[in-house]
Amino acid sequence: MPHIAHIAVQTPAHSAVGELLSYASEEVLPPGTLVRVPLGRRELLGVVWEPPAAPAPLPEGLELRSVACVLPGLAPLDAGWRRLVAFAAHYYQRSVGEIAVTALPPQLRDMTAEQLARRLAPPKPARKSRKSKAETETEPQACEPVRPQQPAAIPSIALSAEQASVFAQIEQSPGPFLLYGSTGSGKTEVYLRAVQAVLEANPQAQALVMVPEINLTPQLEERFTARFAPLYGAEAVVSMHSGMTNPQRLKSWLAGHTGRARIVLGTRMAIFASLPRLALIVVDEEHDASYKQQEGARYSARDLAVWRGRDAGAKVILGSATPSLESWHASSPTAQGGPGRYLRLAMPGRIGAAALPRVRLVDMTQQPRKAVFSPPLLEAITARVQRGEQSLVLLNRRGFAPVLFCADCGWKSDCPHCSAHQVFHKGDRTLRCHHCGFTQRVPFACPSCGNPDILPLGKGTEQLEEELERVLRNVQRPDGNPARVARIDADTTRAKGALQEQLAAMHAGDIDVLVGTQMVAKGHDFRRITLVAAVQPDSALYSSDYRAPERLFCLLMQAAGRAGRDAGYVAAQGSRAEMWIQTHDPANPVYAALQKHDYEAFAARQLQERQDAGMPPYAFQAIVRADARTQEAAQAFLNAATQAARDAQLPWLDEVFIYPPIPMAVQRVANVERAQMLLEATSRGALLRFLNHWQPWLHWLRGQGEHRTIVRWLVDVDPLSI
């Protein structure tokens, strides 16, 4: 008699198919086994799961489809991994199958049993080439077996007093920890020591180290490989991020799953890596919004790291010079004077007595009108080029200008498919929509009135690069060569290896002024930068999103941290590290706190404002979004969902406040209208329980005739932008 296997499969979105699907199997399959199963006309990868606590009886006469095959050579995914997937699915309102399957490498999802068997087979010995007698006589006739090299000793790097104190607390306490260290305080060395400690304590232990963006992975991998490869082998350190090829991702995943990899470095996707012996999780730059997935299952890798660490008994270190307000609040003492949920560890000083940069505010209302750079800032940049120092200019907007404009008729370069402007890219003379990707050539004249004088409005990184090249064209470096300006943003780093090449040139001193977006504002250890300038940061101050001041402060604080990291170099140059901010609102409290490098005062003020307004972390939120062909249809679906919850008197509804639906900030993308509805509660449990009861009604509503025009709907728990 065949056995029944309950399998998690990625079913079509909004199909309302059950969490687990039942299949017939000739043998008992342990939970965590990877199998291929038929679904409709396709054959998909699935993960065998524990049976439900009270499985529903099968209808009489129903014949189950059989498991197609079991993927050979792989140990089942362990119970800890399955608990992580189940928690993420429950918390972020997705199906277990979607989370489980998308967490696996793309190449593994498409492999047959035969292909995987070939992939796992040991490599065949190389064939001996035919050599001439003369070549053979010149070669050694007998070879001694290669003896493994003795592990090299870990480089002895003296810790500062702050580092030593923090590391001792990590050793003695279970955590989780919030490592609050200023930029350049040596947080990475603390991570290295913490990883070293867990690997030495257990010969099978594994560590997961996460960074927010792909471009930060290579330099971190270089440091970890240099430290640990001599001890544990070249395969001990692997990376895992979406910039890798599918075969590379599969190789890294297998190394972690089998235990060959002792250290996994990666972006947010690495939180779902199969690491059966996980003992430590490090989340660097934990405040970064990149840890929140914005497509599909909208999970927070940082929050899942804390949950996974607690579940696995692994230590968790969250590190940042500007912690998220949620983490800062969680590490604050309780009202009764007890410790917070996180143990806060402080490292306020920089390594080597390096001073934090002086912050200088430039009031742009007192500068020449339409000036891209104020004259004092240009003088400061010029002086640094002449001394051989480097400068970083930050503008978080790529392209030449956000929009083209006709002064005669008011025409703007709007995207025909989105409620957004097409950005002017001067380099290739195109207009591009950064939302849907639609691209077209720049018109020779206004398409509306024929005026040939259409003008760019606003500034982008291309414009800053062009302006600096013009201003610095006659400025010479100490070696007599002309000043060199470079730009790093999403447009200049598309080619494979382009980012690494540009960063290497920056580290080598070949670039004098680097213009970039937030890609270069965090995590990079540029030793020769003594000046950082933020050109146009004010727009974030007047956003409708209550998190905008926090994001701006973190970005500017992180950018300032790129300056003056090498105290010896700054002293030898007779210079001083500076952060210049061009603003039309120099009296803003955000800039006042930034001038003093006073994150604690900024956080206290922001948390008080949020507590007064009843916003996170003092409340808990979720967003329900609907996409449709018309805005009316999207909002009608959300209104109907609210009414259905009230008519059904769903549990916990009384503890959840549902706001009316509104259009999203970018209302239309790729000809799809988008609307959203905010839910808020003072209890996280009440919000989640209500959402769990509401899910079936959302599925049911979409199947009704008047709502079948809905393209998709989704639930975003703990949203980062509203």
Side-chain angles (χ1 to χ4, degrees), residues 156-165 167-168 186 189-190 193 351:
S156 178
I157 299 176
L159 297 180
S160 68
E162 289 181 355
Q163 287 175 315
S165 173
F167 178 64
E189 182 60 32
V190 174
R193 290 297 181 98
I351 292 296

Side-chain angles (χ1 to χ4, degrees), residues 179 208 247 312-313 330 634 696:
L179 179 52
L208 172 63

Side-chain angles (χ1 to χ4, degrees), residues 241-576:
H241 55 77
S242 59
M244 303 167 66
T245 64
N246 286 344
Q248 289 172 332
R249 287 172 64 176
L250 177 59
K251 182 179 179 181
S252 294
W253 185 88
L254 289 172
H257 179 65
T258 58
R260 293 196 310 272
R262 305 293 303 281
I263 305 167
V264 173
L265 312 174
T267 52
R268 62 173 177 262
M269 61 177 290
I271 190 58
F272 289 109
S274 176
L275 300 170
R277 303 173 186 90
L278 184 62
L280 174 69
I281 304 176
V282 175
V283 184
D284 192 25
E285 309 292 358
E286 66 85 27
H287 68 277
D288 201 290
S290 298
Y291 283 119
K292 175 77 171 179
Q293 172 74 9
Q294 294 298 333
E295 297 293 336
R298 302 198 167 198
Y299 62 87
S300 166
R302 178 200 64 203
D303 296 344
L304 288 180
V306 175
W307 189 93
R308 186 175 189 181
R310 182 174 62 248
D311 179 70
K315 292 189 177 185
V316 179
I317 304 174
L318 309 178
S320 177
T322 53
S324 65
L325 292 181
E326 286 78 7
S327 296
W328 187 258
H329 177 66
S331 68
S332 301
T334 62
Q336 293 74 29
R341 291 188 292 117
Y342 304 163
L343 177 59
R344 187 186 300 171
L345 308 174
M347 294 198 309
R350 276 186 154 186
I351 292 296
L356 290 169
R358 177 177 61 180
V359 178
R360 302 183 61 168
L361 301 179
V362 180
D363 187 352
M364 294 303 289
T365 62
Q366 306 300 318
Q367 303 301 319
R369 190 181 178 188
K370 296 185 179 180
V372 178
F373 296 98
S374 62
L377 176 57
L378 288 178
E379 292 176 8
I381 294 175
T382 301
R384 279 162 173 76
V385 172
Q386 292 172 337
R387 292 199 301 263
E389 301 169 21
Q390 293 176 319
S391 300
L392 172 64
V393 178
L394 175 68
L395 177 62
N396 204 25
R397 183 180 292 124
R398 58 192 174 101
F400 187 87
V403 62
L404 285 183
F405 171 73
C406 175
D408 285 0
C409 68
W411 171 87
K412 296 183 181 69
S413 56
D414 294 330
C415 175
H417 310 296
C418 306
S419 54
H421 301 306
Q422 285 185 291
V423 178
F424 172 40
H425 289 258
K426 189 175 181 180
D428 56 4
R429 300 291 300 175
T430 61
L431 295 174
R432 293 186 216 159
C433 177
H434 291 174
H435 296 277
C436 71
F438 179 73
T439 302
Q440 61 184 4
R441 301 294 297 176
V442 174
F444 291 102
C446 174
S448 178
C449 68
N451 174 27
D453 191 16
I454 49 179
L455 305 171
L457 286 183
K459 304 174 182 67
T461 51
E462 282 186 25
Q463 188 174 163
L464 265 59
E465 180 188 26
E466 181 182 279
E467 178 69 10
L468 284 170
E469 287 177 340
R470 183 188 65 81
V471 171
L472 301 176
R473 64 180 180 272
N474 296 323
V475 178
Q476 292 185 342
R477 298 157 43 125
D479 58 9
N481 291 320
R484 180 181 173 187
V485 180
R487 172 168 53 94
I488 293 182
D489 55 26
D491 296 321
T492 63
T493 56
R494 289 179 179 175
K496 184 177 180 180
L499 177 61
Q500 287 73 18
E501 182 179 339
Q502 290 176 300
L503 291 177
M506 189 69 184
H507 287 296
D510 297 335
I511 297 173
D512 300 294
V513 183
L514 178 64
V515 178
T517 57
Q518 63 177 354
M519 290 176 62
V520 295
K522 52 196 173 186
H524 297 286
D525 189 18
F526 299 124
R527 311 301 291 180
R528 304 183 189 186
I529 286 182
T530 58
L531 182 147
V532 174
V535 173
Q536 202 175 34
D538 287 350
S539 57
L541 294 174
Y542 311 110
S543 169
S544 59
D545 191 342
Y546 68 90
R547 295 182 187 271
E550 178 188 1
R551 282 197 290 265
L552 176 62
F553 184 89
C554 290
L555 177 62
L556 295 181
M557 192 89 162
Q558 293 287 334
R562 299 317 106 201
R565 297 176 72 88
D566 189 334
Y569 175 78
V570 175
Q573 292 291 110
S575 185
R576 179 172 181 178

Side-chain angles (χ1 to χ4, degrees), residues 8 19-20 47 49-50 78-101 103 272 304 307 311 692:
E19 285 283 284
L20 303 174
V47 183
W49 220 258
E50 289 84 358
D78 70 338
W81 185 88
R82 299 195 302 276
R83 287 194 298 270
L84 173 68
V85 167
F87 170 78
H90 172 77
Y91 189 88
Y92 294 106
Q93 305 294 306
R94 311 296 290 200
S95 71
V96 170
E98 178 188 6
I99 301 288
V101 174
F272 289 109
L304 288 180
W307 189 93
D311 179 70
N692 287 330

Side-chain angles (χ1 to χ4, degrees), residues 127-133 135-136 139:
R127 293 184 178 179
K128 295 183 179 180
S129 59
R130 296 183 178 179
K131 299 181 181 291
S132 65
K133 183 178 180 180
E135 291 175 325
T136 305
E139 294 180 350

Side-chain angles (χ1 to χ4, degrees), residues 586-602:
N588 194 284
V590 172
Y591 298 138
L594 192 68
Q595 277 191 300
K596 299 176 182 178
H597 298 280
D598 195 348
Y599 170 82
E600 296 184 27
F602 170 79

